[in-house]
Amino acid sequence: MKLITHNMLTSHVKGVTKGYPLLIKATEVQVSEVEFNPEFLSRMIPKLEWGVLVQAADSLGHLNDLPNELAPEHEKDEEFLRRVHRVLLEV
Amino acid sequence: MDKEASRLERDHVHSVYEKIAPYFSDTRYKAWPRVRQFLLDQEPGSIIADVGCGNGKYLHINSETFKLGCDCCRPLVEAARSHGHEVQVCNGLRLPYRDGCFDAVLSIAVIHHFSTKERRIRAIKEMSRTLRVGGRVMIYVWAMEQKRRRFEKQDIFVPWNPHPPSSPATRGYPGKARQDRRGSSTGDCASYGTDGNDKHRKTKSTSSVAGEEETASTSHGKSKKLWFFSRSLDSVLDFGGAANSRSTRELSTSCDDSTQMKEANETKVFGLNRGMGLIKQVSSFFSSRHSSDEDVFGSVVDQDPPKLSRVERNGNSATEQRGLSAAIVHTCGAVPLPDLVTHQNIAVADKEEGRPEREVPQFFNSTEGTQDREMNSFLRYYHVFKERELLELIERHVEELHVLQSYFDHANWCVIAEKVQVWQI
């Protein structure tokens, strides 16, 4: 499962009061290459729960230097977008 | 009630899909053009969910977007996952997604598998919950009004037939051309009318078993298999306000009828007694009600004065007792789909007493002989939608969805709706 998917997932099981975000217990972490698409990423980032992504990436040991807070004009920073790309789509 | 509905869906939707999943393949079903277009219209970077994604045939369209798929059928989800899609197994009434996270949601051939109106509404609301304001949902449901199939009731069981490539599955019908009958160029209406099968079918359908028809139709070569009909009051209740007096009449008849049917079932003479006479009347109501160019049986009904006169008598008596009818309407309204409850209860009772289930299998005894039990496990439940029904369901019950488009496509009623901000006062 990609971390972008994790960002959307929540739990509605009865009795669960805080279904989001889900804790990740990874048995295996793979990294697979996906084509880099800066436009896709810059449109995607505002839709994410950023804190949840950072937390999830950190828990897998793939934080990849993502900052806790989104920087303004981050969409112009290709190096940053590449790091997000890795965390979001390739881990 | 919800339990029974959910059990029906488990037995006649979920478990059937698990069994037929191996027959699905990528080559078998093609993406429908308007669905494809809806996906292509989404902006780059959009997040899209395909709720009821099956084996994921729509998940590869538009690589500029991110798509999630989910389905309650694990084997199909596994198939989709094996193609590299991000998919989840889940229940359509409790989607595992956070509020407002999607720019678009697809619901192709899903809502018609929910067995009560309340659950259909809940399923739509649940999808709407996951949409952002301004996001759009596309919903396809199987239509009652189809040129090549005729349904006498809205709540039906449709057998899955793994052998011919043509199937009643809702996602496209690549069919093999069968023997062409006279009049095929004018469509299947003609082909029904010419071979005498219609009479046969009419008779059978009155016993809630629609005829066994290999009637092939049209140059597209779509074939027709067995159609099994349940007797639902839900369909009567859903007629809406436009035909009030008439539905009251119909309802009173069908309420009587369900009582009769219960007796019929209990006395094991299902199919041959006075209960069937009443079913016949109800069927004729349905048939005549939907007379149209597509209505292949309209003329049969019209030419059957004895049946109609019986119907009239019933109608008149119901009108005279309007107070009573209204009471029946009320009672029935409080308990949607009572016939299905009855079926379920009977089935359970039978199991407890160690007797075989006799409801649906019995239908097969009369037509399919020894394969009945196996076939029964392939019966899928559908609620087929009438024109405007889906539209009105959304407009009346899901206020945060604003319908942008409503149309007919590939034997489905379809709606595209946008989520709007609803201000709570």
Side-chain angles (χ1 to χ4, degrees), chain B residues 153 204-210 228-229 231 270 276 279 363:
Chain B
K153 300 285 169 63
K204 282 210 153 184
S205 65
T206 58
S207 60
S208 293
V209 180
F228 289 78
F229 293 73
R231 304 164 294 278
F270 182 60
M276 290 341 290
I279 278 287
F363 293 177

Side-chain angles (χ1 to χ4, degrees), chain B residues 50-54 69-72 106-110 171:
Chain B
D50 183 356
V51 177
C53 66
C70 66
D71 203 292
C72 61
L106 271 189
S107 167
I108 309 299
V110 175
R171 299 197 167 187

Side-chain angles (χ1 to χ4, degrees), chain B residues 143-343:
Chain B
M144 188 171 192
E145 301 87 348
Q146 297 189 18
K147 282 193 172 169
R148 297 178 182 87
R149 294 174 196 81
R150 176 157 177 82
F151 305 117
E152 303 219 351
K153 300 285 169 63
Q154 285 189 272
D155 295 281
I156 58 174
F157 289 105
V158 179
W160 163 265
N161 179 11
H163 303 302
S166 157
S167 83
T170 52
R171 299 197 167 187
Y173 311 90
K176 86 177 161 196
R178 307 187 79 97
Q179 111 195 54
D180 211 9
R181 294 182 191 226
R182 180 166 77 86
S184 63
S185 61
T186 56
D188 27 345
C189 295
S191 67
Y192 290 135
T194 52
D195 55 17
N197 231 353
D198 54 346
K199 201 71 185 172
H200 167 69
R201 184 164 188 264
K202 183 71 193 164
T203 315
K204 282 210 153 184
S205 65
T206 58
S207 60
S208 293
V209 180
E212 180 180 359
E213 284 201 305
E214 292 282 344
T215 312
S217 17
T218 79
S219 42
H220 304 307
K222 301 185 178 179
S223 80
K224 187 179 262 285
K225 293 296 290 177
L226 301 155
W227 303 103
F228 289 78
F229 293 73
S230 77
R231 304 164 294 278
S232 173
L233 289 184
D234 205 20
S235 48
V236 180
L237 293 165
D238 277 350
F239 278 150
N244 253 339
S245 65
R246 180 150 191 183
S247 17
T248 306
R249 241 165 56 190
E250 285 171 356
L251 188 62
S252 67
T253 311
S254 52
C255 282
D256 288 350
D257 200 55
S258 77
T259 317
Q260 301 273 359
M261 283 309 301
K262 245 176 167 167
E263 288 172 25
N265 290 334
E266 279 154 9
T267 52
K268 278 201 168 184
V269 286
F270 182 60
L272 288 169
N273 70 354
R274 67 205 164 108
M276 290 341 290
L278 286 160
I279 278 287
K280 202 176 220 170
Q281 289 171 18
V282 175
S283 297
S284 73
F285 274 133
F286 278 88
S287 300
S288 54
R289 182 177 189 86
H290 298 289
S291 293
S292 71
D293 292 339
E294 288 184 20
D295 188 343
V296 292
F297 300 117
S299 60
V300 176
V301 172
D302 293 343
Q303 289 162 10
D304 200 348
K307 197 189 294 168
L308 280 179
S309 68
R310 285 179 68 192
V311 165
E312 275 310 312
R313 272 208 310 278
N314 262 24
N316 289 339
S317 68
T319 315
E320 284 158 20
Q321 302 171 26
R322 188 161 289 278
L324 178 63
S325 301
I328 294 170
V329 172
H330 180 73
T331 311
C332 293
V335 189
L337 235 61
D339 58 333
L340 292 171
V341 177
T342 305
H343 289 191

Side-chain angles (χ1 to χ4, degrees), chain B residues 98-111:
Chain B
R98 63 178 162 88
D99 297 358
C101 67
F102 296 121
D103 300 293
V105 173
L106 271 189
S107 167
I108 309 299
V110 175
I111 303 298

Side-chain angles (χ1 to χ4, degrees), chain A residues 17-76:
Chain A
T17 48
K18 189 172 176 292
Y20 186 84
L22 298 177
L23 264 180
I24 302 176
K25 280 193 179 173
T27 49
E28 188 188 6
V29 180
Q30 284 181 355
V31 176
S32 44
E33 297 270 318
V34 177
E35 196 183 334
F36 176 65
N37 180 341
E39 190 193 1
F40 173 90
L41 284 164
S42 56
R43 286 172 185 259
M44 182 63 69
I45 289 169
K47 298 176 186 183
L48 299 171
E49 290 291 331
W50 184 256
V52 169
L53 178 70
V54 170
Q55 206 181 8
D58 196 22
S59 75
L60 295 178
H62 281 270
L63 183 60
N64 218 9
D65 298 327
L66 292 187
N68 282 328
E69 302 281 331
L70 272 173
E73 305 206 338
H74 56 79
E75 69 276 3
K76 290 175 185 160

